[in-house]
Amino acid sequence: MADLDAVVVGAGPNGLAAALTLAAAGLSVRVVEGADTIGGGCRTAELTQPGVRHDVCSTVHPLAAASPFFTWLGLQERGVRLLHPDVAFAHPLPSAGAGAVHRSVDETAEGLGSDGRAWRRTFAPLAERADAIVPAVLAPLRGVPSHPVRAAHYAPVALRSAKGLARRFTDDAARALVAGVSAHAMLPLDKLPTGAFGALLTTLAHAVGWPLVEGGSQVVVDVMASTLREWGGEIATGQWVQSLDELPPSRVVLLDVAPAQLDAIAGPELPARYRARLQRYRYGPGVCKVDWTLSEAVPWLDDACRRAGTVHVGGTFEQVALAEAEVAAGRHPDRPFVLCVQPTVVDTSRAPAGRHVLWAYCHVPAGSTIDMTEAIESQIERFAPGFRDLVVARSTMTAADEERLHPNYVGGDINVGVATLRQMLFRPTVRWDQYATPNPSIYLCGSATPPGGGVHGMCGQYGRPVRPAARVWHQVTAGGAAVRCAGRRRGRGRVT
């Protein structure tokens, strides 16, 4: 008989979400993590100086604020404080000034001059219906949205490229805002579904904000871990899994890993045709990330940038589009699109008094070993003269470094898979149940499954078995979702 109902490989937000969903149903769960600390890309560490806390990857959490999983878990009720900057995100312009997105649609529109009316017309209906749109976007395609009519308002805006979305606006500020927020897709801005990324993230900015976690993103996974232990789950760290044979006996295994790692760990237990499809899964560009300790706040020329949690740096829509096209062509742009986050705008706990924290990354070709620090700092200096004079310490991670630290980030791809329309709809392969593998005891619950990357936990909540696999099973309930546990007399069974 199996000792455990489930073993989860990987203690990122999705792996922990899967474990919490099963533990809430009364099932025995153990999480096995390779690194010495839990969290994956949702970790916080002293990367530059003692006492200065930097988020290793994810810092800004609109998806966590809106996630049905975290609403069910009660993240904020469990002590996680979400801090909201005055400006959700800003985008400085070469001609001085900047576009700025506030929580209020009206305040944002007022700052966009002649494009204000178009901004209201585009995003006010989406923000008003975010309670229907966000759960629908974060759900797998196999289900029907709870409010399909309200959620359908997202489609006309989302089913276009960023270039198509930007055509709604005439001035540089609004068009640049579209460019920066859509570039999170890590695709050329004339490709689908870059407009969907931009529309969703802007809708979230207006509906729930772009908050940061007080104390660092690590607080989120620490709360998830403590809750899991409270519910009877176990977590083991420092155990890199190379094969399923290294895991304790269980009825089912759920893997919060990339398809490449799934193939490496579970390949012998999977059919050859399925493995071949995993090997065809495509990864996107990597990132080169720099963390700084600063002696003062970044001296942005525009005040909105000084008050923003996130600043998208890259110039006009056309300049950002050119940089992203260069990366897609396998080149390192001289003037890359740079995504900056300045946590100490709202969270002074990240650094000692008189110090500030900043991180930024730019997109680079997959697997790049090129240090882009100079190019990144030059871009920031364009819009914040004197920035370099404030640097006390820095730490740089190339795309190759990112993969060494996070094996799921193949080639440094923090989205764990290129965000083409086909691959966003069918991650990691074309299957009705995209979390299931042909082996009834093995499931995938990481960012390579719907809805993709981000700290939302939904891949983990959905990435659990959904069909009975044995004669004996019973149904329990976790967070309103039906969870079934099926036992086998020999070997692994299935939890659904």
Side-chain angles (χ1 to χ4, degrees):
M1 293 291 292
D3 297 330
L4 296 162
D5 291 315
V7 170
V8 178
V9 177
N14 285 313
L16 292 172
L20 282 162
T21 302
L22 297 172
L27 306 178
S28 57
V29 184
R30 181 179 299 169
V31 179
V32 179
E33 167 60 41
D36 293 333
T37 57
I38 63 171
C42 191
R43 289 189 289 122
T44 306
E46 296 178 343
L47 300 178
T48 59
Q49 290 185 316
V52 181
R53 295 174 60 78
H54 302 269
D55 288 327
V56 172
C57 185
S58 180
T59 298
V60 183
H61 297 289
L63 286 169
S67 165
F69 171 78
F70 284 124
T71 298
W72 166 72
L73 184 63
L75 199 62
Q76 296 182 71
E77 290 79 1
R78 294 180 180 277
V80 176
R81 289 194 63 203
L82 299 181
L83 306 178
H84 293 265
D86 291 340
V87 177
F89 61 90
H91 194 121
L93 297 167
S95 57
V101 170
H102 303 266
R103 182 76 174 268
S104 164
V105 175
D106 287 338
E107 186 177 0
T108 304
E110 288 169 6
L112 294 176
S114 60
D115 278 328
R117 183 177 179 184
W119 192 273
R120 284 191 187 91
R121 189 167 58 246
T122 300
F123 292 111
L126 301 183
E128 292 166 2
R129 296 168 176 83
D131 61 332
I133 291 170
V134 174
V137 173
L138 296 183
L141 290 177
R142 67 188 185 209
V144 177
S146 299
H147 304 283
V149 176
R150 286 171 58 80
H153 282 77
Y154 176 65
V157 181
L159 293 177
R160 62 184 66 215
S161 67
K163 184 177 180 180
L165 182 57
R167 289 195 187 104
R168 294 181 172 222
F169 310 105
T170 57
D171 293 340
D172 280 347
R175 289 171 53 79
L177 287 171
V178 170
V181 73
S182 300
H184 285 248
M186 298 172 67
L187 290 170
L189 298 188
D190 60 350
K191 303 294 185 184
L192 292 174
T194 51
F197 272 75
L200 177 63
L201 291 173
T202 304
T203 297
L204 288 169
H206 290 313
V208 299
W210 275 28
L212 292 82
V213 176
E214 184 177 41
S217 295
Q218 185 76 43
V219 173
V220 173
V221 291
D222 285 348
V223 165
M224 295 176 77
S226 64
T227 304
L228 177 61
R229 293 187 179 103
E230 176 189 327
W231 291 352
E234 304 171 5
I235 301 174
T237 59
Q239 299 180 21
W240 290 105
V241 177
Q242 307 296 328
S243 166
L244 294 181
D245 293 336
E246 300 172 11
L247 299 175
S250 65
R251 294 183 173 86
V252 69
V253 176
L254 300 90
L255 296 105
D256 178 9
V257 300
Q261 278 68 51
L262 174 63
D263 182 47
I265 294 170
E269 303 293 330
L270 300 171
R273 290 183 62 184
Y274 181 75
R275 293 186 68 184
R277 280 185 276 167
L278 291 177
Q279 292 160 10
R280 290 195 294 269
Y281 184 79
R282 295 175 56 201
Y283 298 91
V287 301
C288 179
K289 178 175 180 282
V290 187
D291 290 271
W292 296 271
T293 298
L294 305 177
S295 60
E296 298 178 19
V298 182
W300 302 106
L301 290 173
D302 190 271
D303 179 66
C305 296
R306 299 182 185 186
R307 296 184 290 121
T310 303
V311 182
H312 296 140
V313 179
T316 64
F317 182 98
E318 291 73 20
Q319 290 170 334
V320 174
L322 176 61
E324 294 301 277
E326 286 281 285
V327 174
R331 296 186 288 269
H332 295 77
D334 294 330
R335 284 189 164 184
F337 165 70
V338 176
L339 190 154
C340 298
V341 178
Q342 36 194 25
T344 41
V345 166
V346 289
D347 185 6
T348 57
S349 73
R350 305 279 185 117
R355 292 288 185 261
H356 292 265
V357 172
L358 177 75
W359 70 249
Y361 68 63
C362 71
H363 302 150
V364 294
S368 169
T369 60
I370 302 297
D371 182 338
M372 296 289 286
T373 300
E374 173 61 28
I376 290 172
E377 291 189 349
S378 293
Q379 281 288 68
I380 298 173
E381 188 83 17
R382 283 177 66 194
F383 303 98
F387 161 72
R388 282 195 177 98
D389 297 334
L390 306 180
V391 175
V392 176
R394 67 169 63 80
S395 172
T396 300
M397 295 281 291
T398 68
D401 294 332
E402 291 283 355
E403 183 175 5
R404 279 192 290 271
L405 184 64
H406 306 285
N408 285 342
Y409 295 170
V410 177
D413 176 9
I414 60 174
N415 280 340
V416 194
V418 66
T420 60
L421 183 60
R422 182 183 188 279
Q423 198 158 273
M424 288 303 294
L425 295 175
F426 304 108
R427 295 167 72 90
T429 65
V430 179
R431 291 176 62 88
W432 173 249
D433 184 353
Q434 292 161 280
Y435 311 94
T437 74
N439 186 317
S441 300
I442 302 172
Y443 282 77
L444 191 62
C445 65
S447 295
T449 61
V455 179
H456 44 64
M458 300 304 294
C459 304
Q461 186 175 50
Y462 285 115
R464 52 177 170 69
V466 295
R467 294 168 296 178
R471 295 179 181 178
V472 181
W473 55 270
H474 63 276
Q475 180 169 313
V476 292
T477 300
V483 181
R484 292 175 179 175
C485 174
R488 292 182 187 270
R489 292 188 176 179
R490 296 182 182 179
R492 293 192 178 101
R494 167 179 291 202
V495 181
T496 66

